[in-house]
Amino acid sequence: MNTTLIPPVAAPRPATDRTVVGEHLALPLFHRLSGSLAGHPYLKVVVDRAEDTWHLLDTAVHPFHVDYIATRVLGMEPAELDSCLDAFNASVYMAPDRRFLLGVLSLHTDQDTEGRHRPFLVLETTEADTMDGPLLEEFYSFVRHRLDGRLSLLLKPANHGQEHALAAISDVRVPRILSHELFGHRTRTPLNPGEAVGRLRHFRTTDEYAAAASLVGGSDILAMPCLPDDVPRVAGFINTATTTPLSHTNVLAAGWGIPNAIVRDLDRLIEPDSLDGGWVRYRVTEDDISLVPLAAAAVPTAPTPHRPRIRLRTPLLDDLSARPLHRLRLTDQNRYGTKAANLGELHHVLHARTADLTAFHGKPRPPRPDLHRHLAARLGTTYPAAPGELRAAAADFVAGTVGAPDGIALPFGLQHRFLLSSPALRQGILRLKAALDRGAAEAVEPLCLTLQQLVRTTPLPEEVAREILRALPTGPAAGDRLVVRSSANAEDLPGFSAAGVYTSVTSVHGADHLLDAVREVWASLLSPRSVRLRQQAGISLDDTYMGVIVQPYLPATLGGVLVTCNPTRRSDFRNVCLNCSPGSPEAVVDGTALPLQYLYNTVEGGGRTVALGSSGSDLPAATRERLAHLALAGRLLQSHFSAPDVDRPLDIEWLMTDQGAFHLVQIRPYAR
C-alpha cells in the first residue's frame, strides 16, 4: 500500500486535541504535549515530506503514529486502517519512498563541567523502522531546523541496522547517541512489576547483610547493591547497583511475583523520610517506581500474602536406568526431572521436525488475525504459503540454528535407593520432616546441614554406583571433562523456577569425582535454602526428588540467557531479551559479570543493544546477527514448550562454541 496515493483529507479534531502542525518547538510547547515513559517526557512527531511540514502529536489523544496519520491526515476510517494495518505499517516504516517520517522526541538532562543540569532532546524512530542513512539524516535535519536553537538534539539509532546505516555519515552533521550510552547507567529501572507492603531493609554492603541475614523475613523489602543468590523469599527486591533483568534474583522475583527494580539513588529517596527500617508501599510498573511511607494505622499486624501452592506430579521411583538425553520426552519428567525431560524433548523437536513451531505467530494480535506474514518474512519463505510450508520452514530454521546437548540422565530412583540404604539418612529425614511439620524454624538449618554432609559421605550401594558410572564416556572421550547438573522435580516449573537454588558441578574428571559430584547435587536438594523455599511454596519434602544430568563439557566463547519476552515490558509481544558474556552462561545468571544486553524483534525483525555491561564494547555486527537468529529460534520453540498457553515465555540458557554453534543447555518457563 502506497499512502502517497491516498488524498490528504483532514478530519476534524476533538476539542481536547492540542496537536499542532508546522510550529517551531520550544520546551513550553514540548511539555504541553508530552507524555512520560520510563520517567522521561516524550513527544511523538510526524514529518510530512509531501507538505514540507511536521505534526507534533498530543500524546494523550494520539498514542500511535499510524492512527493519527490514517485518520487525521489521510481521512481513513479506523476500520479501514485495521483491515490493512500491516501493509500500512510497511508503507510508513519500511518503504524507501515513504511520504511520512515517524519518530519520538524525548527529553533528558546531563551535567556540564560545573555541575549544572542541561536539557537535551533525543530523536529516534520505532525499532522496526528501516530508514537508510540519507533518510535518517533528512529526518534529523528537518527536526533540528524547527527546534529552539538553545536545545541540543541527538539522533539515537533504533536498531543495529540504523547504526550500520549511519556509519558512513559524519557525526558532526548528525550527532548521535547509542541506546546503551543513554540508558545503560540510568538511575532507576523497573525489572519486575508488582506491588508490596513491607519493611524496608537497606544494606549497603554484603557484610551488613550477612550480619542481619537471620533476621530478614517474608515481610521485608530487601535493598542492597547486589542481592545474593541465596536470598530468602521476601516481599520485594531493590537493587542499588546496576544488574540485568535475567539474573537469578530477578528470575526468582518473577517466579515469586514480587516487585524488583534498580534504584541507584535509594539513599537520596529514603533519608528525608527516614524510610530505612520503616514500613512502605513499594510499587513497580513498566514506567514508574515508587516508595511511599505507611502511616502507623496502615501497617499490617500480621501480613499473610497469598501464595499459590505448587503441585508436583507423583514421582516414579522404580526405574534405576541411566538413559541418554535424546531418548527422553516431556512425559519423563516424573522419572528424570523437568530439566532432563525438557532437553530430551528438545532433541525430539530438532530431530523429528514435526512440532508446530508457528503457534505463537499464529495467535491473533488484534487487529491482525495472526503474524504469519511477518514470520514468513523472517524465515525467507513465501506468503501466503502452501499448507505445511511455514511449519516446515520454522522447523528447519530452528534445527539449523541451535543444537541440543548430549548427555546421560540419572533417574530419581537412584537417589531414592541411596537414601533407603542408609539408616542414618532415613532417621535424619524423619527428624527434618518433624521439624518442618511443627514449624520449628530454628531446628531446620542444622538438620539440613547434617543431612547434606551425610549425603556427601555415605557410601553408595553397588547397584547405584554401577548405574551412575554408565554415564562415563568411553573410547577417545574417556577422561574428558564432564558437567553434572541438577534435574529435580521441584525446579523449572511454572511458578517455581528454583533458579540458582540447586548445585551444578562444572569440572568433573574420572569415576571417583563423578560419584562425588552426583552426591553433591543430591545434597543440594536438602540445603536449608532449598528446603525453606519449597516449604513456602507448599512442596512437601516427601514429594521432592533429584535426578541428575551428566554431560560432556563444551568450551564456550560466548554464553548467556534469553527470555522470550521483554522482561521490563510484558505487554510487548515483539521483543525477546538476550544477555551474554564471554564464556559460559553461569557468569550471566549468577551476577558475577554484567552482561551485554540486547532486545531482538521477532515480528518485524531487527535488534538493538541495551547495555554493554562489563564488556566495554559491543559484539561484532556478524555475531549480533547470529544472536538475532538465536532469538527467533527461542521464540519459535516457545510455541511448543509453552503449549497450550503459547504466550507463556521461556527462559533459555545457551552457549556458543568456538566453531560458532549454538547449544541450548536449559529450557524452562519464565514466570510472567
Side-chain angles (χ1 to χ4, degrees):
M1 176 179 178
N2 189 340
T3 59
T4 59
L5 301 180
I6 302 175
V9 179
R13 297 174 185 155
T16 56
D17 186 354
R18 298 172 295 181
T19 293
V20 298
V21 180
E23 293 189 18
H24 276 64
L25 181 63
L27 280 181
L29 178 59
F30 179 94
H31 285 298
R32 180 159 64 89
L33 299 176
S34 67
S36 179
L37 184 64
H40 295 283
Y42 77 99
L43 174 65
K44 292 181 181 293
V45 301
V46 173
V47 170
D48 187 339
R49 301 169 77 197
E51 299 290 330
D52 192 32
T53 191
W54 69 337
H55 302 245
L56 308 177
L57 307 192
D58 182 348
T59 305
V61 179
H62 303 294
F64 300 107
H65 291 92
V66 291
D67 288 349
Y68 174 82
I69 294 171
T71 60
R72 301 300 180 198
V73 180
L74 302 176
M76 297 172 65
E77 293 295 327
E80 182 184 358
L81 173 62
D82 287 351
S83 68
C84 61
L85 182 61
D86 284 335
F88 193 98
N89 281 338
S91 72
V92 295
Y93 292 124
M94 300 173 188
D97 60 345
R98 67 189 77 176
R99 170 179 169 178
F100 300 102
L101 306 179
L102 282 58
V104 172
L105 279 168
S106 55
L107 181 64
H108 304 262
T109 60
D110 63 5
Q111 288 185 334
D112 62 19
T113 55
E114 298 179 2
R116 293 172 299 195
H117 289 278
R118 301 179 305 179
F120 67 96
L121 290 172
V122 172
L123 176 67
E124 62 183 304
T125 71
T126 67
E127 65 191 48
D129 201 298
T130 60
M131 285 191 200
D132 61 12
L135 208 52
L136 286 165
E137 183 174 5
E138 177 187 339
F139 189 29
Y140 174 85
S141 297
F142 189 102
V143 174
R144 171 68 275 173
H145 292 150
R146 286 158 180 82
L147 286 183
D148 184 328
R150 292 169 295 181
L151 286 172
S152 297
L153 177 67
L154 301 174
L155 180 70
K156 181 166 80 68
N159 51 51
H160 292 145
Q162 288 187 3
E163 288 181 31
H164 179 73
L166 284 167
I169 296 176
S170 166
D171 58 7
V172 175
R173 297 204 312 268
V174 183
R176 68 206 66 166
I177 189 169
L178 299 180
S179 181
H180 64 82
E181 295 171 330
L182 187 62
F183 296 121
H185 300 288
R186 66 169 62 170
T187 301
R188 302 174 194 169
T189 304
L191 295 176
N192 194 63
E195 183 171 331
V197 169
R199 183 180 54 164
L200 181 62
R201 304 289 303 277
H202 184 198
F203 300 106
R204 290 162 178 79
T205 67
T206 54
D207 288 341
E208 282 186 20
Y209 169 76
S214 61
L215 302 177
V216 172
S219 299
D220 290 336
I221 295 168
L222 186 58
M224 56 189 301
C226 183
L227 292 155
D229 273 354
D230 62 353
V231 63
R233 185 164 184 160
V234 292
F237 291 156
I238 298 175
N239 301 266
T240 58
T242 301
T243 187
T244 165
L246 304 190
S247 66
H248 269 157
T249 51
N250 198 48
V251 171
L252 288 174
W256 294 340
I258 64 174
N260 187 19
I262 299 170
V263 184
R264 297 172 62 206
D265 61 343
L266 185 65
D267 277 322
R268 185 176 68 83
L269 289 179
I270 66 177
E271 285 180 1
D273 296 311
S274 300
L275 295 183
D276 192 7
W279 283 80
V280 298
R281 185 176 302 278
Y282 173 39
R283 187 167 182 260
V284 177
T285 68
E286 292 180 344
D287 300 319
D288 192 32
I289 302 162
S290 62
L291 280 169
V292 179
L294 290 185
V299 174
T301 55
T304 54
H306 172 71
R307 291 166 180 164
R309 315 306 276 177
I310 305 299
R311 304 299 178 193
L312 302 183
R313 294 185 180 187
T314 302
L316 302 179
L317 308 173
D318 56 331
D319 193 345
L320 301 184
S321 302
R323 186 179 296 182
L325 285 175
H326 68 260
R327 290 181 52 198
L328 301 187
R329 298 293 302 275
L330 284 178
T331 51
D332 290 307
Q333 61 186 266
N334 54 351
R335 277 193 170 88
Y336 293 88
T338 317
K339 190 182 299 182
N342 285 346
L343 290 177
E345 186 73 11
L346 176 63
H347 274 278
H348 172 75
V349 168
L350 299 180
H351 177 73
R353 304 192 188 185
T354 56
D356 181 8
L357 304 182
T358 68
F360 176 89
H361 288 83
K363 185 173 179 177
R365 310 287 172 180
R368 305 168 184 84
D370 56 57
L371 301 174
H372 283 159
R373 179 190 299 274
H374 295 283
L375 179 57
R378 303 284 72 74
L379 297 176
T381 190
T382 57
Y383 182 85
E389 183 178 333
L390 193 61
R391 285 182 57 164
D396 289 344
F397 176 86
V398 172
T401 303
V402 301
D406 293 327
I408 302 294
L410 306 179
F412 301 154
L414 290 175
Q415 183 217 14
H416 181 60
R417 189 67 57 90
F418 167 66
L419 295 177
L420 290 179
S421 71
S422 168
L425 280 169
R426 295 201 306 272
Q427 288 298 316
I429 290 172
L430 288 174
R431 285 193 290 270
L432 176 58
K433 287 166 57 179
L436 292 169
D437 289 343
R438 68 176 185 268
E442 72 287 347
V444 169
E445 180 161 345
L447 287 170
C448 286
L449 295 176
T450 299
L451 275 169
Q452 285 191 282
Q453 188 59 23
L454 275 172
V455 171
R456 296 184 184 105
T457 57
T458 298
L460 293 165
E462 184 178 342
E463 60 180 339
V464 172
R466 183 171 60 248
E467 199 63 31
I468 293 172
L469 293 178
R470 287 183 56 194
L472 284 172
T474 58
D480 284 358
R481 179 178 171 181
L482 302 173
V483 176
V484 177
R485 303 183 189 276
S486 68
S487 182
N489 62 342
E491 66 177 320
D492 296 355
L493 304 173
F496 192 79
S497 74
V501 171
Y502 303 124
T503 295
S504 293
V505 185
T506 59
S507 185
V508 177
H509 295 86
D512 290 342
H513 199 181
L514 174 60
L515 296 177
D516 289 341
V518 170
R519 281 184 292 199
E520 189 64 40
V521 173
W522 284 345
S524 67
L525 194 69
L526 294 165
S527 72
R529 183 183 183 223
S530 69
V531 169
R532 182 173 59 247
L533 291 177
R534 292 195 304 270
Q535 179 80 352
Q536 292 170 343
I539 300 174
S540 168
L541 190 64
D542 285 331
D543 297 332
T544 311
Y545 285 88
M546 178 66 78
V548 177
I549 302 171
V550 182
Q551 297 169 281
Y553 170 76
L554 284 174
T557 58
L558 197 66
V561 178
L562 73 89
V563 295
T564 57
C565 68
N566 182 346
T568 62
R569 190 163 294 278
R570 302 301 178 84
S571 58
D572 175 5
F573 63 84
R574 288 175 163 82
N575 286 288
V576 306
C577 181
L578 188 150
N579 285 190
C580 60
S581 62
S584 71
E586 281 76 12
V588 173
V589 297
D590 65 14
T592 56
L594 287 175
L596 293 128
Q597 299 181 42
Y598 301 95
L599 284 173
Y600 285 101
N601 185 325
T602 60
V603 178
E604 290 90 1
R608 61 190 189 274
T609 304
V610 177
L612 296 182
S614 305
S615 298
S617 60
D618 210 342
L619 294 171
T623 304
R624 298 199 307 255
E625 182 62 27
R626 298 215 50 231
L627 293 178
H629 292 178
L630 174 64
L632 179 56
R635 173 70 86 199
L636 294 172
L637 288 169
Q638 179 179 337
S639 292
H640 179 71
F641 282 91
S642 295
D645 179 10
V646 296
D647 275 338
R648 189 185 71 197
L650 297 178
D651 173 348
I652 300 174
E653 290 187 24
W654 57 273
L655 58 84
M656 186 175 76
T657 66
D658 53 6
Q659 288 81 33
F662 288 120
H663 291 263
L664 308 188
V665 296
Q666 185 166 338
I667 298 178
R668 60 188 174 198
Y670 183 79
R672 285 188 293 172

